[in-house]
Amino acid sequence: MSFTTILSTLALSALVRAAPTPSTDDVYPNYEYGNMFYLGPTTNSQYITKATYSLSVPAPPTDYLTSSPDERWLSLWIGLQDNPNTSDVLDMNFVQPLLNWGPNNAIWGCDADVEHWCAAASTYTPAEQIGQEYVALPSNATLDFVVEVNADTGMIDQSISLAGKIISQESDSKGMQPAVFYSGTECYLDGCGTVDAHSWFNITLELNEADADLDKTMTLTGATSSGMVTTDGGKTWTIESIVIEKQNMTE
C-alpha cells in the first residue's frame, strides 16, 4: 500500500472520529480508537493562528498481534481543522503531523525497525492526502511541533523537529482557520498491543482574537490535563501537559 493511501485512510478515520455521525464502527470497522483529548471549537469564530507542542515519544507497543504485519499500524497525532460544526468534516482539510509505527515499518516507506517509530508532516484534503516521507526516529525521542497560519502566504505551515532540527515540514491548506485542536491514538486492524502513557507538553495556542472561554471546551478521554492558563484574557493559552494514559489497543 502506498504512503498516500495509508495517510489518507488515517486522516479520514480521524475526521470521522470528530463527527457525531456516521459511526466509525459503520464506516471504518477495522479501526480502534484509544485515549485522547479534544479542544474546541472556539466559542465565537476565533481561530488558532499558531500551535506549538511537544511529545515525549513512548516506547513502541508491546503484546501486539503478529498476524497481518504488513497491514497493521498504530498512529499518534494532534490535528487541527476548521470548525466542524459548519461543514461535513470529510470536506475539510485536516492538518495532522503523524507519529506512526507498524510491525513492518518498511511497508509504509520508513526504514525503522520494529523497535522504533516514524514521523511525517501530513495533511488530509478532500481531494488527496498531502504528506512527506516518513523519517525514522531514535529511541526516547522528544519531538517539537509547530502548526502556524503563515501571515504572508495564507498557508498552514507545519513542522516536526528533533533536537532542534526540522526533520519534516509541509505548507498547504491556504485559507484554513483552525478552530479545533485534538489528539488521537489510532490502531488499524486492531491488535496494536499495549501503548505506554505519553505526554503532550509545552502546549501553546495563539488565537487571532481572545476567547476567554476556550478552556471550557476541553474534553478528556483516558487522559489528564494540567489545566489551561491564559494571562492575556484568552488570546494566548498554555497547557503544561496532557498525559494520555497507558492503554491496550488489542482488547
Side-chain angles (χ1 to χ4, degrees), residues 6 14 21 31 39 47 67 81 98 109 112 139 141 161 167 182 212 214 217:
I6 294 161
T21 58
Y31 285 86
L39 178 64
Y47 62 91
S67 59
Q81 66 179 162
L98 291 171
S139 300
S161 296
I167 60 171
Y182 63 100
L214 186 62
T217 71

Side-chain angles (χ1 to χ4, degrees), residues 3 18 49 52 92 122 138-139 160 196 200 205 230 240 242 245:
F3 173 80
T49 58
T52 59
M92 302 164 63
S122 172
S139 300
I160 306 173
D196 283 345
W200 300 98
L205 301 177
T230 181
E240 183 178 343
I242 299 177
E245 298 170 0

Side-chain angles (χ1 to χ4, degrees), residues 231-245:
T231 59
D232 59 7
K235 196 170 189 295
T236 307
W237 288 92
T238 60
I239 306 171
E240 183 178 343
S241 67
I242 299 177
V243 177
I244 308 298
E245 298 170 0

Side-chain angles (χ1 to χ4, degrees), residues 11-24 27-28 33 89-90 182:
L12 279 168
S13 61
L15 289 168
V16 172
R17 174 64 175 82
T21 58
S23 167
T24 53
V27 180
Y28 297 105
Y33 297 89
V89 291
L90 295 180
Y182 63 100

Side-chain angles (χ1 to χ4, degrees), residues 39 43 211-219 227-230 237:
L39 178 64
T43 61
D211 183 351
D213 293 322
L214 186 62
D215 58 332
K216 297 180 176 63
T217 71
M218 172 77 80
T219 59
M228 297 180 62
V229 176
T230 181
W237 288 92

Side-chain angles (χ1 to χ4, degrees), residues 55-251:
L55 172 67
S56 298
V57 178
T62 58
D63 306 323
Y64 55 88
L65 299 183
T66 57
S67 59
S68 304
D70 292 350
E71 298 180 37
R72 176 172 291 107
W73 73 82
L74 175 71
S75 187
L76 309 179
W77 44 262
I78 289 180
L80 292 88
Q81 66 179 162
D82 289 336
N83 190 331
N85 294 333
T86 61
S87 179
D88 183 338
V89 291
L90 295 180
D91 293 332
M92 302 164 63
N93 283 20
F94 185 70
V95 179
Q96 181 194 34
L98 291 171
L99 187 71
N100 220 59
W101 170 92
N104 182 2
N105 284 318
I107 202 72
W108 321 127
C110 181
D111 61 5
D113 60 27
V114 74
E115 297 298 327
H116 295 87
W117 291 84
C118 306
S122 172
T123 296
Y124 163 83
T125 78
E128 62 178 338
Q129 184 76 23
I130 304 169
Q132 300 300 311
E133 295 295 327
Y134 278 117
V135 176
L137 298 177
S139 300
N140 303 313
T142 296
L143 299 178
D144 299 311
F145 299 83
V146 179
V147 179
E148 183 174 14
V149 178
N150 188 312
D152 295 325
T153 65
M155 307 281 273
I156 304 294
D157 297 340
Q158 60 172 297
S159 66
I160 306 173
S161 296
L162 173 66
K165 179 182 178 180
I166 294 176
I167 60 171
S168 189
Q169 58 186 335
E170 177 72 27
S171 295
D172 51 60
S173 305
K174 187 172 183 177
M176 183 178 177
Q177 296 183 339
V180 295
F181 176 83
Y182 63 100
S183 74
T185 306
E186 182 177 351
C187 173
Y188 177 72
L189 207 61
D190 195 10
C192 288
T194 301
V195 186
D196 283 345
H198 50 281
S199 175
W200 300 98
F201 64 98
N202 288 346
I203 301 168
T204 298
L205 301 177
E206 299 176 18
L207 280 65
N208 68 319
E209 297 178 352
D211 183 351
D213 293 322
L214 186 62
D215 58 332
K216 297 180 176 63
T217 71
M218 172 77 80
T219 59
L220 301 165
T221 303
T224 57
S225 171
S226 63
M228 297 180 62
V229 176
T230 181
T231 59
D232 59 7
K235 196 170 189 295
T236 307
W237 288 92
T238 60
I239 306 171
E240 183 178 343
S241 67
I242 299 177
V243 177
I244 308 298
E245 298 170 0
K246 184 175 181 178
Q247 57 203 297
N248 188 316
M249 301 294 288
T250 299
E251 295 179 345

